[in-house]
């Protein structure tokens, strides 16, 4: 049942991502036209592409790096997410233990180093992205979820994590919601940040180091020969087409229709949605506490993630993970009124003391998900192109690691990163349509049913568990 004030709260919400709807947004750079050459061509101006360009320039300032993006840097997933920057490279410790048991300790170490390197880069380049090592608070909102939190805490401690298990009163002393029954605070492995400002800051750092960036430049095709890969770009009403011939290519288009046909079997685009409130008043802030500003997530299959911004707004997202038949990606899918109404209702159920809060923004975006929930890697065109995809919603931090892997692969180097099973292996493919859509919709229905039945997984979910398959956002 929709709460009576939900419609009023959503009435004036702007249908664009809050993070991108601010005066700090930089002016777009000119599109690419004509013929160009480069040592390294980066296709995609999200985090993965920006990190690859930056790291390549840091390693060798003389490398000629050219980056192109179909929109502007950070306009897609990198500017639409919740701003949770996790040390995990495996979509959480439990997933890492299940899929990479022999190297999870090394992946945990690399993840800690990666998060520290992101913090150091933010500091070194003066990137004002509200970076805060607040940690993340996972909360139980149903009694059966308490046992899962206790198991997660035991596993985390066994791998050296600084976690604290909280009872009902303790978790409500941190953030006051009548729905909370307990919580686990991971205090050192998650940072909160402003995602768009991070992308814009990385863009500026790349430009300062001499990376050539062309925005509103969509690559339409690739072809290779013995010495290079050539990328063709689309023209427009007032834009001539372009071409770039590069010795090496980094491909980071992730959830969007792939330029490599092989990627279609491994990645599905899933739409995720979020709301942003107006800034809370001092009285509203006092009503919920949240003095330690952790990122929050509940522990259902259909989970919500939420956090508080520097100016006292609450971002509230998740729950729905929506797939459209045929891997469809389109601008009109970024707005879904039924999901926004559900999120608003869930927000007010979580925080009834904020019943008079209104939402300022509502938006959606597409996530690249794969069956193992964490990134996979590969090369094409005789090793002259490297790709990374499948981050499944935890790419804010892991994309920097992915950029390092791609550069190592392009160098043809035998390194500790290229020897990882995480890097050498592949996820199981999704089936072709129409089985793909039918399977995903059955999985979504089954996950919702499990949430309603105290976590009990039906035969379909148990079969997926045995096969190592999954669907998540």
């Amino acid at each position: 049942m929709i709460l009576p004030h939900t419609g009023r709260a959503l009435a004036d919400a702007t249908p664009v991502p809050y993070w991108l709807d601010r005066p700090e947004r930089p002016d777009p750079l000119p599109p690419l036209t004509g013929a160009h050459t480069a040592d390294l061509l980066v296709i995609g101006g999200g985090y993965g592409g920006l990190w690859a360009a930056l790291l390549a320039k840091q390693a060798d300032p003389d490398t000629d790096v050219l980056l192109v993006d179909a929109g502007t840097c950070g306009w897609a997933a990198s500017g639409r997410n919740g701003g949770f920057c996790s040390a995990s490279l495996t979509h959480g410790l439990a997933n890492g233990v299940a899929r990479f048991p022999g190297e999870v300790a090394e992946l945990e170490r690399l993840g800690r180093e990666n998060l520290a390197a992101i913090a150091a880069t933010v500091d070194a380049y003066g990137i004002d992205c509200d970076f805060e090592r607040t940690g993340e608070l996972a909360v139980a909102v149903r009694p059966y979820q308490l046992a899962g939190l206790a198991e997660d805490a035991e596993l985390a401690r066994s791998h050296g994590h600084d976690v604290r298990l909280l009872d009902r009163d303790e978790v409500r002393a941190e953030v006051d919601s009548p729905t909370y029954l307990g919580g686990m605070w991971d205090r050192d492995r998650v940072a909160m940040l402003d995602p768009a400002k991070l992308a814009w800051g990385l863009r500026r750092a790349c430009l300062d180091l001499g990376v050539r960036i062309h925005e509103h430049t969509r690559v339409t095709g690739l072809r290779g020969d013995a010495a290079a890969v050539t990328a063709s770009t689309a023209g427009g009403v007032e834009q001539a087409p372009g071409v770039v011939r590069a010795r090496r290519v980094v491909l980071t288009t992730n959830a969007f229709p792939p330029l490599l046909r092989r990627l279609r079997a491994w990645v599905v685009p899933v739409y995720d949605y979020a709301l942003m409130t107006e800034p809370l008043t001092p009285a509203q802030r006092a009503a919920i506490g949240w003095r330690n500003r952790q990122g929050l997530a509940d522990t259902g299959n259909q989970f919500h993630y939420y956090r508080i911004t520097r100016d006292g707004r609450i971002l509230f997202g998740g729950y729905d993970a929506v797939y459209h038949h045929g891997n469809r990606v389109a601008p009109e899918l970024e707005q879904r009124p039924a999901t926004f109404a559900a999120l608003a209702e869930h927000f007010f159920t979580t925080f009834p003391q904020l019943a008079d809060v209104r939402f300022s923004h509502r938006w959606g975006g597409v996530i690249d998900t794969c069956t193992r929930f964490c990134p996979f890697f590969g090369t094409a065109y005789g090793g002259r192109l490297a790709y990374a995809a499948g981050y499944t919603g935890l790419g804010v931090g892991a994309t920097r690691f992915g950029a390092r892997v791609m550069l190592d692969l392009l160098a043809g180097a035998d390194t500790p990163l290229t020897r990882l099973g995480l890097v050498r292996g592949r996820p199981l493919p999704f089936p072709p349509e129409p089985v793909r859509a039918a399977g995903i919709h059955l999985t979504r229905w089954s996950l919702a049913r499990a949430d309603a039945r105290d976590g009990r997984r039906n035969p379909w979910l148990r079969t997926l568990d045995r096969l190592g398959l999954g669907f998540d956002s």
Side-chain angles (χ1 to χ4, degrees):
M1 179 179 178
I2 301 298
L3 298 175
H5 50 285
T6 295
R8 295 194 301 272
L10 286 166
D12 299 320
T14 302
V16 297
Y18 164 77
W19 308 114
L20 301 175
D21 187 30
R22 287 175 296 169
E24 305 98 309
R25 184 172 185 168
D27 293 331
L29 294 163
L32 182 141
T33 59
H36 300 260
T37 61
D39 294 324
L40 176 66
L41 170 64
V42 178
I43 302 174
Y47 295 139
L50 290 166
W51 280 118
L54 183 67
L55 292 171
K57 270 295 192 180
Q58 288 176 334
D60 182 0
D62 294 329
T63 300
D64 180 20
V65 180
L66 190 156
L67 182 151
V68 297
D69 192 274
T72 57
C73 290
W75 71 278
S78 298
R80 298 166 186 261
N81 60 80
F84 289 64
C85 187
S86 173
S88 178
L89 305 176
T90 59
H91 206 270
L93 178 58
N95 192 53
V97 169
R99 298 184 186 279
F100 313 103
E103 64 183 28
V104 68
E106 176 67 1
L107 292 171
E108 286 285 292
R109 183 188 67 80
L110 290 168
R112 291 191 297 271
E113 289 181 355
N114 186 65
L115 183 59
I118 292 171
T121 301
V122 166
D123 183 61
Y125 290 96
I127 299 175
D128 180 16
C129 64
D130 304 344
F131 189 94
E132 300 178 273
R133 296 276 298 248
T134 61
E136 182 178 14
L137 184 59
V139 295
V141 296
R142 298 282 298 275
Y144 80 90
Q145 295 169 359
L146 291 170
L149 282 182
E151 292 173 3
D152 290 345
E154 182 178 359
L155 178 64
R157 289 177 182 137
S158 73
H159 286 79
H161 294 199
D162 179 13
V163 299
R164 180 184 169 199
L165 204 58
L166 307 176
D167 64 21
R168 180 181 180 277
D169 291 339
E170 289 170 328
V171 73
R172 291 191 63 174
E174 290 293 330
V175 184
D176 192 10
S177 168
T179 66
Y180 295 171
L181 305 177
M184 183 186 78
W185 185 3
D186 186 336
R187 294 190 283 193
D188 67 342
R189 295 180 54 82
V190 178
M192 306 308 299
L193 53 78
D194 182 314
K197 286 185 177 180
L198 174 62
W200 298 337
L202 292 173
R203 174 186 185 267
R204 175 176 54 79
C206 286
L207 290 170
D208 290 346
L209 291 180
V211 176
R212 294 183 286 151
I213 298 178
H214 293 277
E215 297 177 318
H216 294 296
T217 300
R218 182 169 59 89
V219 175
T220 56
L222 299 168
R223 66 181 187 276
D225 57 37
V229 177
T230 299
S232 302
T233 70
V237 176
E238 298 181 359
Q239 175 188 344
V243 62
V244 181
R245 182 174 172 81
R247 292 194 303 111
R248 297 173 295 159
V249 176
V250 162
L251 179 62
T252 62
T253 51
N254 300 87
F256 290 91
L259 291 163
L260 292 178
R261 190 175 189 86
R262 70 185 69 170
L263 296 179
R264 297 175 188 175
W266 291 327
V267 175
V268 298
V270 175
Y271 276 85
D272 182 56
Y273 297 90
L275 301 173
M276 184 72 85
T277 73
E278 296 176 338
L280 271 58
T281 66
Q284 290 167 337
R285 284 294 304 275
I288 59 172
W290 216 339
R291 292 178 299 276
N292 289 308
R293 303 178 55 80
Q294 307 96 325
L296 275 95
D298 56 49
T299 53
N301 291 306
Q302 290 183 292
F303 64 92
H304 307 86
Y305 58 86
Y306 38 121
R307 50 81 55 93
I308 198 157
T309 66
R310 174 180 283 182
D311 63 349
R313 300 170 183 263
I314 296 176
L315 179 148
F316 195 84
Y319 187 70
D320 269 345
V322 182
Y323 172 75
H324 297 275
H325 188 278
N327 282 20
R328 185 175 173 226
V329 175
E332 59 268 24
L333 302 178
E334 295 168 8
Q335 295 294 312
R336 197 166 190 265
T339 296
F340 296 137
L343 284 174
E345 180 185 359
H346 300 168
F347 175 88
F348 291 120
T349 299
T350 302
F351 296 123
Q353 64 270 53
L354 301 182
D356 55 345
V357 165
R358 299 173 72 91
F359 298 102
S360 64
H361 293 75
R362 52 181 167 85
W363 71 92
V366 64
I367 294 169
D368 60 324
T369 193
C370 70
T371 57
R372 73 181 194 184
F373 303 145
C374 58
F376 62 91
F377 307 89
T379 61
Y381 296 103
R384 292 184 296 279
L385 179 147
Y387 59 82
Y391 289 95
T392 317
L394 279 189
V396 177
T399 43
R400 183 190 175 277
F401 170 82
R404 290 181 60 203
V405 170
M406 287 186 285
L407 294 175
D408 278 2
L409 290 172
L410 288 175
D414 179 21
T415 71
L417 298 188
T418 60
R419 290 193 292 269
L420 289 168
L422 171 70
V423 173
R424 297 195 313 270
R426 298 285 186 278
L428 291 171
F430 289 96
E433 297 289 12
V435 177
R436 175 178 296 193
I440 290 173
H441 294 320
L442 175 58
T443 303
R444 290 187 66 224
W445 176 85
S446 298
L447 291 171
R449 185 170 173 81
D451 282 338
R453 299 174 69 238
D454 292 334
R456 293 191 296 275
R457 298 171 76 81
N458 65 15
W460 173 253
L461 293 180
R462 294 197 298 272
T463 298
L464 294 182
D465 292 340
R466 286 194 298 271
L467 295 174
L469 287 164
F471 174 76
D472 200 3
S473 68

mmCIF file of all heavy atoms in Angstrom, residues 143-175:
data_model
loop_
_atom_site.group_PDB
_atom_site.id
_atom_site.type_symbol
_atom_site.label_atom_id
_atom_site.label_comp_id
_atom_site.label_asym_id
_atom_site.label_seq_id
_atom_site.Cartn_x
_atom_site.Cartn_y
_atom_site.Cartn_z
ATOM 1 N N PRO A 143 13.938 -10.673 11.362
ATOM 2 C CA PRO A 143 14.661 -11.479 12.354
ATOM 3 C C PRO A 143 15.619 -12.500 11.753
ATOM 4 O O PRO A 143 16.720 -12.712 12.275
ATOM 5 C CB PRO A 143 13.529 -12.153 13.140
ATOM 6 C CG PRO A 143 12.374 -11.211 13.021
ATOM 7 C CD PRO A 143 12.477 -10.641 11.641
ATOM 8 N N TYR A 144 15.230 -13.140 10.647
ATOM 9 C CA TYR A 144 16.108 -14.175 10.081
ATOM 10 C C TYR A 144 17.438 -13.616 9.599
ATOM 11 O O TYR A 144 18.422 -14.351 9.474
ATOM 12 C CB TYR A 144 15.389 -14.905 8.941
ATOM 13 C CG TYR A 144 15.383 -14.166 7.627
ATOM 14 C CD1 TYR A 144 16.403 -14.358 6.698
ATOM 15 C CD2 TYR A 144 14.345 -13.291 7.291
ATOM 16 C CE1 TYR A 144 16.404 -13.684 5.479
ATOM 17 C CE2 TYR A 144 14.340 -12.618 6.092
ATOM 18 C CZ TYR A 144 15.371 -12.821 5.181
ATOM 19 O OH TYR A 144 15.364 -12.148 3.985
ATOM 20 N N GLN A 145 17.506 -12.308 9.321
ATOM 21 C CA GLN A 145 18.738 -11.707 8.807
ATOM 22 C C GLN A 145 19.812 -11.540 9.884
ATOM 23 O O GLN A 145 20.986 -11.347 9.563
ATOM 24 C CB GLN A 145 18.423 -10.348 8.167
ATOM 25 C CG GLN A 145 17.539 -10.462 6.941
ATOM 26 C CD GLN A 145 17.005 -9.126 6.459
ATOM 27 O OE1 GLN A 145 17.280 -8.073 7.044
ATOM 28 N NE2 GLN A 145 16.221 -9.154 5.393
ATOM 29 N N LEU A 146 19.437 -11.630 11.147
ATOM 30 C CA LEU A 146 20.414 -11.472 12.228
ATOM 31 C C LEU A 146 21.462 -12.580 12.200
ATOM 32 O O LEU A 146 22.653 -12.330 12.422
ATOM 33 C CB LEU A 146 19.696 -11.461 13.577
ATOM 34 C CG LEU A 146 18.819 -10.227 13.844
ATOM 35 C CD1 LEU A 146 17.962 -10.448 15.089
ATOM 36 C CD2 LEU A 146 19.684 -8.980 14.000
ATOM 37 N N ALA A 147 21.049 -13.801 11.929
ATOM 38 C CA ALA A 147 22.013 -14.905 11.868
ATOM 39 C C ALA A 147 23.002 -14.691 10.729
ATOM 40 O O ALA A 147 24.200 -14.974 10.868
ATOM 41 C CB ALA A 147 21.280 -16.228 11.690
ATOM 42 N N GLY A 148 22.525 -14.166 9.610
ATOM 43 C CA GLY A 148 23.412 -13.884 8.492
ATOM 44 C C GLY A 148 24.436 -12.820 8.831
ATOM 45 O O GLY A 148 25.613 -12.916 8.430
ATOM 46 N N LEU A 149 24.015 -11.800 9.572
ATOM 47 C CA LEU A 149 24.967 -10.765 9.996
ATOM 48 C C LEU A 149 26.040 -11.353 10.899
ATOM 49 O O LEU A 149 27.226 -11.006 10.772
ATOM 50 C CB LEU A 149 24.233 -9.643 10.729
ATOM 51 C CG LEU A 149 23.473 -8.618 9.893
ATOM 52 C CD1 LEU A 149 22.863 -7.564 10.810
ATOM 53 C CD2 LEU A 149 24.383 -7.949 8.879
ATOM 54 N N ALA A 150 25.649 -12.218 11.814
ATOM 55 C CA ALA A 150 26.632 -12.835 12.711
ATOM 56 C C ALA A 150 27.635 -13.674 11.917
ATOM 57 O O ALA A 150 28.844 -13.647 12.188
ATOM 58 C CB ALA A 150 25.920 -13.689 13.755
ATOM 59 N N GLU A 151 27.155 -14.414 10.925
ATOM 60 C CA GLU A 151 28.060 -15.202 10.081
ATOM 61 C C GLU A 151 28.989 -14.299 9.285
ATOM 62 O O GLU A 151 30.194 -14.587 9.143
ATOM 63 C CB GLU A 151 27.235 -16.076 9.134
ATOM 64 C CG GLU A 151 26.457 -17.189 9.830
ATOM 65 C CD GLU A 151 25.540 -17.917 8.871
ATOM 66 O OE1 GLU A 151 25.565 -17.593 7.654
ATOM 67 O OE2 GLU A 151 24.785 -18.806 9.327
ATOM 68 N N ASP A 152 28.440 -13.202 8.745
ATOM 69 C CA ASP A 152 29.269 -12.262 7.985
ATOM 70 C C ASP A 152 30.352 -11.650 8.872
ATOM 71 O O ASP A 152 31.503 -11.463 8.438
ATOM 72 C CB ASP A 152 28.404 -11.154 7.388
ATOM 73 C CG ASP A 152 27.514 -11.651 6.263
ATOM 74 O OD1 ASP A 152 27.763 -12.763 5.755
ATOM 75 O OD2 ASP A 152 26.559 -10.937 5.908
ATOM 76 N N ALA A 153 29.987 -11.315 10.109
ATOM 77 C CA ALA A 153 30.963 -10.721 11.021
ATOM 78 C C ALA A 153 32.079 -11.709 11.345
ATOM 79 O O ALA A 153 33.265 -11.343 11.384
ATOM 80 C CB ALA A 153 30.266 -10.262 12.307
ATOM 81 N N GLU A 154 31.726 -12.973 11.568
ATOM 82 C CA GLU A 154 32.744 -13.979 11.863
ATOM 83 C C GLU A 154 33.684 -14.161 10.679
ATOM 84 O O GLU A 154 34.915 -14.234 10.847
ATOM 85 C CB GLU A 154 32.067 -15.305 12.206
ATOM 86 C CG GLU A 154 33.039 -16.413 12.584
ATOM 87 C CD GLU A 154 32.336 -17.694 12.973
ATOM 88 O OE1 GLU A 154 31.089 -17.722 12.970
ATOM 89 O OE2 GLU A 154 33.038 -18.683 13.284
ATOM 90 N N LEU A 155 33.128 -14.214 9.466
ATOM 91 C CA LEU A 155 33.958 -14.355 8.271
ATOM 92 C C LEU A 155 34.861 -13.139 8.098
ATOM 93 O O LEU A 155 36.059 -13.270 7.805
ATOM 94 C CB LEU A 155 33.063 -14.530 7.045
ATOM 95 C CG LEU A 155 33.784 -14.656 5.701
ATOM 96 C CD1 LEU A 155 34.641 -15.913 5.660
ATOM 97 C CD2 LEU A 155 32.763 -14.656 4.558
ATOM 98 N N ALA A 156 34.306 -11.958 8.300
ATOM 99 C CA ALA A 156 35.097 -10.733 8.132
ATOM 100 C C ALA A 156 36.255 -10.675 9.133
ATOM 101 O O ALA A 156 37.384 -10.348 8.766
ATOM 102 C CB ALA A 156 34.191 -9.513 8.300
ATOM 103 N N ARG A 157 35.987 -11.025 10.374
ATOM 104 C CA ARG A 157 37.056 -10.998 11.382
ATOM 105 C C ARG A 157 38.147 -12.014 11.063
ATOM 106 O O ARG A 157 39.329 -11.752 11.321
ATOM 107 C CB ARG A 157 36.464 -11.258 12.759
ATOM 108 C CG ARG A 157 35.616 -10.104 13.298
ATOM 109 C CD ARG A 157 34.988 -10.443 14.632
ATOM 110 N NE ARG A 157 34.139 -9.371 15.120
ATOM 111 C CZ ARG A 157 32.942 -9.549 15.670
ATOM 112 N NH1 ARG A 157 32.455 -10.781 15.805
ATOM 113 N NH2 ARG A 157 32.228 -8.521 16.088
ATOM 114 N N SER A 158 37.759 -13.147 10.491
ATOM 115 C CA SER A 158 38.756 -14.160 10.155
ATOM 116 C C SER A 158 39.700 -13.699 9.059
ATOM 117 O O SER A 158 40.781 -14.265 8.875
ATOM 118 C CB SER A 158 38.065 -15.462 9.729
ATOM 119 O OG SER A 158 37.479 -15.345 8.447
ATOM 120 N N HIS A 159 39.303 -12.643 8.330
ATOM 121 C CA HIS A 159 40.161 -12.073 7.294
ATOM 122 C C HIS A 159 40.690 -10.701 7.681
ATOM 123 O O HIS A 159 41.118 -9.927 6.828
ATOM 124 C CB HIS A 159 39.397 -11.990 5.972
ATOM 125 C CG HIS A 159 39.222 -13.330 5.302
ATOM 126 N ND1 HIS A 159 38.257 -14.230 5.692
ATOM 127 C CD2 HIS A 159 39.907 -13.918 4.295
ATOM 128 C CE1 HIS A 159 38.349 -15.312 4.938
ATOM 129 N NE2 HIS A 159 39.337 -15.155 4.092
ATOM 130 N N GLY A 160 40.644 -10.403 8.978
ATOM 131 C CA GLY A 160 41.276 -9.195 9.478
ATOM 132 C C GLY A 160 40.488 -7.918 9.348
ATOM 133 O O GLY A 160 41.052 -6.825 9.508
ATOM 134 N N HIS A 161 39.201 -7.999 9.083
ATOM 135 C CA HIS A 161 38.386 -6.795 8.957
ATOM 136 C C HIS A 161 38.061 -6.218 10.340
ATOM 137 O O HIS A 161 37.853 -6.966 11.301
ATOM 138 C CB HIS A 161 37.080 -7.087 8.237
ATOM 139 C CG HIS A 161 37.240 -7.480 6.799
ATOM 140 N ND1 HIS A 161 36.208 -7.412 5.904
ATOM 141 C CD2 HIS A 161 38.307 -7.942 6.102
ATOM 142 C CE1 HIS A 161 36.618 -7.826 4.721
ATOM 143 N NE2 HIS A 161 37.897 -8.163 4.826
ATOM 144 N N ASP A 162 37.985 -4.913 10.389
ATOM 145 C CA ASP A 162 37.583 -4.226 11.613
ATOM 146 C C ASP A 162 36.069 -4.069 11.595
ATOM 147 O O ASP A 162 35.540 -3.110 11.030
ATOM 148 C CB ASP A 162 38.274 -2.859 11.694
ATOM 149 C CG ASP A 162 37.868 -2.072 12.936
ATOM 150 O OD1 ASP A 162 37.259 -2.658 13.858
ATOM 151 O OD2 ASP A 162 38.152 -0.851 12.969
ATOM 152 N N VAL A 163 35.361 -5.051 12.165
ATOM 153 C CA VAL A 163 33.904 -5.017 12.154
ATOM 154 C C VAL A 163 33.378 -5.052 13.583
ATOM 155 O O VAL A 163 34.012 -5.593 14.483
ATOM 156 C CB VAL A 163 33.305 -6.184 11.340
ATOM 157 C CG1 VAL A 163 33.747 -6.128 9.889
ATOM 158 C CG2 VAL A 163 33.638 -7.525 11.956
ATOM 159 N N ARG A 164 32.211 -4.483 13.731
ATOM 160 C CA ARG A 164 31.540 -4.463 15.037
ATOM 161 C C ARG A 164 30.101 -4.889 14.836
ATOM 162 O O ARG A 164 29.377 -4.323 14.002
ATOM 163 C CB ARG A 164 31.596 -3.051 15.632
ATOM 164 C CG ARG A 164 30.917 -2.924 16.995
ATOM 165 C CD ARG A 164 30.936 -1.479 17.463
ATOM 166 N NE ARG A 164 30.083 -1.288 18.625
ATOM 167 C CZ ARG A 164 29.618 -0.108 19.028
ATOM 168 N NH1 ARG A 164 29.927 1.002 18.359
ATOM 169 N NH2 ARG A 164 28.835 -0.014 20.090
ATOM 170 N N LEU A 165 29.684 -5.927 15.559
ATOM 171 C CA LEU A 165 28.310 -6.411 15.503
ATOM 172 C C LEU A 165 27.478 -5.624 16.509
ATOM 173 O O LEU A 165 27.864 -5.481 17.675
ATOM 174 C CB LEU A 165 28.274 -7.902 15.824
ATOM 175 C CG LEU A 165 27.094 -8.720 15.290
ATOM 176 C CD1 LEU A 165 27.000 -8.631 13.773
ATOM 177 C CD2 LEU A 165 27.233 -10.168 15.736
ATOM 178 N N LEU A 166 26.345 -5.098 16.086
ATOM 179 C CA LEU A 166 25.512 -4.219 16.910
ATOM 180 C C LEU A 166 24.157 -4.864 17.162
ATOM 181 O O LEU A 166 23.546 -5.434 16.247
ATOM 182 C CB LEU A 166 25.299 -2.877 16.203
ATOM 183 C CG LEU A 166 26.548 -2.128 15.734
ATOM 184 C CD1 LEU A 166 26.152 -0.872 14.970
ATOM 185 C CD2 LEU A 166 27.443 -1.769 16.906
ATOM 186 N N ASP A 167 23.672 -4.743 18.384
ATOM 187 C CA ASP A 167 22.315 -5.195 18.662
ATOM 188 C C ASP A 167 21.329 -4.091 18.291
ATOM 189 O O ASP A 167 21.712 -3.033 17.771
ATOM 190 C CB ASP A 167 22.165 -5.640 20.117
ATOM 191 C CG ASP A 167 22.367 -4.512 21.130
ATOM 192 O OD1 ASP A 167 22.228 -3.319 20.759
ATOM 193 O OD2 ASP A 167 22.659 -4.828 22.306
ATOM 194 N N ARG A 168 20.056 -4.338 18.587
ATOM 195 C CA ARG A 168 19.012 -3.401 18.164
ATOM 196 C C ARG A 168 19.251 -2.003 18.726
ATOM 197 O O ARG A 168 19.184 -1.000 17.983
ATOM 198 C CB ARG A 168 17.641 -3.921 18.611
ATOM 199 C CG ARG A 168 16.473 -3.026 18.231
ATOM 200 C CD ARG A 168 15.159 -3.630 18.748
ATOM 201 N NE ARG A 168 14.011 -2.792 18.402
ATOM 202 C CZ ARG A 168 13.619 -1.720 19.098
ATOM 203 N NH1 ARG A 168 14.301 -1.355 20.183
ATOM 204 N NH2 ARG A 168 12.564 -1.027 18.707
ATOM 205 N N ASP A 169 19.518 -1.889 20.001
ATOM 206 C CA ASP A 169 19.701 -0.567 20.591
ATOM 207 C C ASP A 169 20.967 0.104 20.074
ATOM 208 O O ASP A 169 20.992 1.321 19.840
ATOM 209 C CB ASP A 169 19.759 -0.679 22.116
ATOM 210 C CG ASP A 169 18.418 -1.073 22.721
ATOM 211 O OD1 ASP A 169 17.380 -0.868 22.052
ATOM 212 O OD2 ASP A 169 18.409 -1.598 23.855
ATOM 213 N N GLU A 170 22.010 -0.681 19.874
ATOM 214 C CA GLU A 170 23.274 -0.101 19.412
ATOM 215 C C GLU A 170 23.165 0.403 17.974
ATOM 216 O O GLU A 170 23.696 1.467 17.639
ATOM 217 C CB GLU A 170 24.390 -1.138 19.520
ATOM 218 C CG GLU A 170 24.789 -1.449 20.955
ATOM 219 C CD GLU A 170 25.724 -2.645 21.038
ATOM 220 O OE1 GLU A 170 25.603 -3.566 20.199
ATOM 221 O OE2 GLU A 170 26.572 -2.659 21.956
ATOM 222 N N VAL A 171 22.491 -0.348 17.128
ATOM 223 C CA VAL A 171 22.383 0.109 15.750
ATOM 224 C C VAL A 171 21.477 1.330 15.666
ATOM 225 O O VAL A 171 21.745 2.265 14.891
ATOM 226 C CB VAL A 171 21.906 -1.030 14.812
ATOM 227 C CG1 VAL A 171 20.441 -1.366 15.004
ATOM 228 C CG2 VAL A 171 22.172 -0.667 13.358
ATOM 229 N N ARG A 172 20.438 1.378 16.474
ATOM 230 C CA ARG A 172 19.561 2.556 16.456
ATOM 231 C C ARG A 172 20.225 3.770 17.094
ATOM 232 O O ARG A 172 19.835 4.906 16.814
ATOM 233 C CB ARG A 172 18.232 2.237 17.147
ATOM 234 C CG ARG A 172 17.393 1.251 16.344
ATOM 235 C CD ARG A 172 15.985 1.121 16.876
ATOM 236 N NE ARG A 172 15.244 2.393 16.772
ATOM 237 C CZ ARG A 172 13.961 2.520 17.070
ATOM 238 N NH1 ARG A 172 13.279 1.459 17.496
ATOM 239 N NH2 ARG A 172 13.363 3.690 16.949
ATOM 240 N N ALA A 173 21.237 3.554 17.921
ATOM 241 C CA ALA A 173 22.022 4.681 18.432
ATOM 242 C C ALA A 173 22.890 5.285 17.332
ATOM 243 O O ALA A 173 23.252 6.462 17.393
ATOM 244 C CB ALA A 173 22.893 4.232 19.603
ATOM 245 N N GLU A 174 23.234 4.480 16.332
ATOM 246 C CA GLU A 174 23.990 4.992 15.189
ATOM 247 C C GLU A 174 23.066 5.706 14.207
ATOM 248 O O GLU A 174 23.308 6.846 13.827
ATOM 249 C CB GLU A 174 24.733 3.850 14.488
ATOM 250 C CG GLU A 174 25.876 3.274 15.288
ATOM 251 C CD GLU A 174 27.010 4.263 15.467
ATOM 252 O OE1 GLU A 174 27.207 5.123 14.585
ATOM 253 O OE2 GLU A 174 27.696 4.188 16.503
ATOM 254 N N VAL A 175 22.042 5.007 13.751
ATOM 255 C CA VAL A 175 21.037 5.563 12.839
ATOM 256 C C VAL A 175 19.691 5.044 13.318
ATOM 257 O O VAL A 175 19.497 3.832 13.444
ATOM 258 C CB VAL A 175 21.278 5.128 11.380
ATOM 259 C CG1 VAL A 175 20.265 5.801 10.455
ATOM 260 C CG2 VAL A 175 22.703 5.450 10.934
#
